[in-house]
Amino acid sequence: MERLKIDDVAKATGLTKRAIRYYEEIGLIKPPARSEGGTRLYTQEDIEQLKNIVAAREVLGFSLQELQYFLALKEKIETHRAEYRQAIAGSEQRRELEQMAAGLHRQIAMLDDKMKKMAALKQELNQMAERIDAILEERREE
């Protein structure tokens, strides 16, 4: 498995080295392996995780806190899958599933809200652009 230094990861993700270290510090990514000299060594999986974080921030407008919540929920689901296969008590399984469902529904509601706000902003920008285009067209005719 190829291991990459932080400079290579920064180039691949468009993040600064400081941002990558910060994301590690706050738990958005797992701490990478280190060389004997203490240099961080990242995997392709780490790069993909960072790219997903960048996309979630840029495209969806997630805050770091929302990303932490989402990743914690995702990890909880993965853990639950493993435990579920080991057949923990039925009432405990149900409670876990209900908690995960509630978390997922909150995430969906948050995304719906963000999408509505983005659509409203886009409509407002389109209207402003149309007004400016009309003014420019009037001035061309003068």
Side-chain angles (χ1 to χ4, degrees):
M1 181 186 320
E2 183 183 9
R3 299 289 181 153
L4 303 165
K5 292 183 180 180
I6 198 166
D7 288 327
D8 300 319
V9 175
K11 287 177 189 169
T13 61
L15 293 168
T16 63
K17 293 185 287 186
R18 183 176 181 181
I20 294 167
R21 288 189 291 267
Y22 180 67
Y23 289 176
E24 176 190 339
E25 182 182 316
I26 64 172
L28 286 178
I29 61 169
K30 65 184 185 314
R34 292 191 180 248
S35 69
E36 287 182 20
T39 302
R40 289 173 170 85
L41 299 173
Y42 296 88
T43 63
Q44 192 60 42
E45 182 180 313
D46 295 324
I47 291 173
E48 291 308 313
Q49 173 110 17
L50 285 165
K51 285 181 179 179
N52 288 337
I53 290 168
V54 169
R57 288 204 64 193
E58 290 178 356
V59 176
L60 301 174
F62 277 18
S63 69
L64 289 178
Q65 185 178 12
E66 290 167 335
L67 281 168
Q68 285 175 308
Y69 176 78
F70 175 74
L71 293 173
L73 181 62
K74 188 175 176 183
E75 186 175 318
K76 187 174 185 176
I77 290 169
E78 292 300 321
T79 301
H80 183 269
R81 281 184 187 158
E83 289 174 355
Y84 192 82
R85 290 184 182 121
Q86 294 175 3
I88 57 177
S91 62
E92 190 176 331
Q93 284 178 348
R94 182 170 180 80
R95 189 175 67 249
E96 286 276 328
L97 288 170
E98 287 170 346
Q99 289 174 352
M100 285 187 287
L104 289 169
H105 288 294
R106 282 192 299 274
Q107 288 287 310
I108 292 166
M110 180 189 66
L111 285 173
D112 285 342
D113 186 51
K114 285 183 182 289
M115 288 173 19
K116 286 177 189 172
K117 288 177 182 176
M118 290 172 74
L121 177 60
K122 181 181 177 189
Q123 182 178 4
E124 183 180 334
L125 293 173
N126 279 332
Q127 289 171 348
M128 289 185 337
E130 288 172 7
R131 287 192 298 262
I132 291 171
D133 289 343
I135 291 169
L136 289 171
E137 188 61 33
E138 287 175 11
R139 293 198 176 169
R140 278 189 206 125
E141 293 173 3
E142 293 177 358

